[in-house]
Structure formats: C-alpha cells, structure tokens
Amino acid sequence: QQPKLAAGYKLEGDVLMEQKLPQEAVKLYERAFQISRIGALQVQLYRAMQAAGQGPAADARMAAWLKDNPDDLPTRNYLAGTKLAARQYRAAIEQFQYIVGKDTANVVALNDLAWAYQQEKDPRAQTTAEQALKLAPGNPAVLDTLGWIVLQQGDVKRATTLLRQAASLAPKAPEIQYHLSVALVKSGDKPGARRQLEQLLAANKEFPQRAEAQALLTQL
C-alpha cells in the first residue's frame, strides 16, 4: 500500500530475521535503506549481512557509511560493540576512541574502551577505566572492569575491594562474581573463594566463565 515508505520493508526484514532467513532479510533492508538512508537501517542491514555470511561486504558498507556520516555515534557504537563481542579488539578500540573523543562523558564507551585496551595489553587500560570510575563511581560494570585490570597488574588488595563493591551492586552478574572469586584466591582467602564459587555455580547453569570457575573450585 505504501511502496515509497521504508517502514514496511524494514518490518518484513525484521520478520525474516526472526525466521532465521538473513539472506532474504538483506534484500528487504536494502530496499528500506535505499528509501531512507538512516543509521538505524544501516545497523539492521549490517546485522543481516553478517548473519548471512557477508562479513567483509558488511564491514565495507559500514565503513563507507561512517566515512560519510562520521558523527553518527549510535551506529558507530553498535559497530564497536559487535567488534568487542567478536574479540576484534583493535577494531573495537578504533571505534571507541572516536566515540569518547566526541563524547568524553560516555561512561559505557570509556568502560568498553578500557576493557579492549586491557585485552591488547595497552597501558592506557587503567587510566581509561579510572576516568570511567570518576564519572560513575557506583557503576558495577565500571568497578568490575577497573578491578579486573588492577588485579591483572598485581594490585590484589585494591582489586579485591573494587570487585567486592561491584559484586555487591550486581549480585546476579556471573562474570563479576567470577572475577571476585579470582581476586579472593589471589588474596589468599581460599574459604571465601570457595563459598563464592559454589554460590556462583549453583545459581548460574550457563555463563561464559563457567568452565574456568569449575576448574578454579577444584583447585581449592
């Protein structure tokens, strides 16, 4: 009924994605994007292309969009997040650096940038995490990131304090609880670490660090 509007094509693409038909969804998102060239549709098109096995083409399209629209920070942030999740840390760092350069108070981007720096053993990791903590001292994700970074750098006492704070603020976040367990082991509190790990494993059947948590518990 409204062939000149993008909405119908976009919604049909959404349905196809739910049906696990990304190649078909790409065609619909492409039609929507040709009608309405906006960042939100570029994101949907990128997501579908990635799911359809068109990763290099998707990256090329996204790069072209960001070149023409450098300050589309929501789209750039989406790309950074996908690269971080894919452990493509250098690519994620490039995007997060641009974001925080434009928005110095973006706590989420700063926190993610600090984490990516740490994975690349970049010495800027701690200072970036400290900057995020100044902006959001009660944010458990920020406390966790900084705690984990300083733990890796050997400051077990401060790390344990930070991770205790993070764990108390986010009791249902298994990754944070696991990080606290590791800090407790390194601090010499094996009984505390054992309790922490037992509670973590009992409460969470599936989480990314489950195998590591089970292995750590067997060593105590």
Side-chain angles (χ1 to χ4, degrees):
Q1 293 178 356
Q2 301 290 337
K4 294 184 179 181
L5 294 181
Y9 302 114
K10 185 265 182 190
L11 290 169
E12 190 174 351
D14 293 347
V15 173
L16 289 165
M17 287 295 286
E18 289 293 327
Q19 294 176 327
K20 311 297 183 187
L21 296 170
Q23 290 183 335
E24 296 301 316
V26 167
K27 300 172 186 176
L28 275 297
Y29 288 138
E30 183 67 71
R31 292 185 70 177
F33 185 72
Q34 293 306 319
I35 295 170
S36 179
R37 292 178 174 271
I38 60 174
L41 286 174
Q42 172 58 46
V43 165
Q44 295 292 78
L45 181 57
Y46 179 85
R47 185 169 67 95
M49 291 177 74
Q50 289 283 354
Q54 302 173 28
D59 284 333
R61 287 286 296 266
M62 182 64 87
W65 171 262
L66 290 174
K67 181 179 179 181
D68 292 339
N69 303 273
D71 292 337
D72 180 0
L73 298 187
T75 299
R76 190 179 291 277
N77 191 66
Y78 174 84
L79 177 62
T82 62
K83 295 302 181 185
L84 189 66
R87 300 185 179 184
Q88 297 176 22
Y89 298 117
R90 291 184 182 179
I93 286 168
E94 180 183 356
Q95 301 306 324
F96 283 129
Q97 284 176 332
Y98 188 95
I99 293 166
V100 300
K102 292 290 183 177
D103 182 6
T104 56
N106 190 323
V107 173
V108 174
L110 279 167
N111 190 55
D112 287 342
L113 177 57
W115 183 262
Y117 277 151
Q118 180 66 9
Q119 305 314 304
E120 287 292 308
K121 303 188 186 310
D122 189 307
R124 291 172 289 183
Q126 183 173 344
T127 56
T128 305
E130 299 278 12
Q131 187 179 350
L133 186 65
K134 286 181 181 178
L135 293 168
N139 185 310
V142 172
L143 288 161
D144 175 60
T145 296
L146 180 56
W148 190 245
I149 288 171
V150 298
L151 183 65
Q152 303 303 307
Q153 294 177 356
D155 190 346
V156 177
K157 184 177 180 180
R158 187 181 181 210
T160 303
T161 299
L162 289 166
L163 291 168
R164 280 192 191 278
Q165 288 180 263
S168 67
L169 291 167
K172 295 185 179 180
E175 183 173 6
I176 294 176
Q177 302 298 323
Y178 169 69
H179 288 166
L180 175 58
S181 302
V182 176
L184 290 171
V185 171
K186 291 193 175 186
S187 71
D189 184 4
K190 290 187 177 181
R194 187 180 299 108
R195 287 192 300 271
Q196 180 74 18
L197 287 165
E198 288 172 346
Q199 292 171 3
L200 172 62
L201 292 166
N204 300 275
K205 299 302 180 186
E206 295 293 336
F207 61 98
Q209 298 82 18
R210 185 174 176 85
E212 290 94 329
Q214 287 177 317
L216 187 58
L217 181 58
T218 61
Q219 298 171 18
L220 299 177

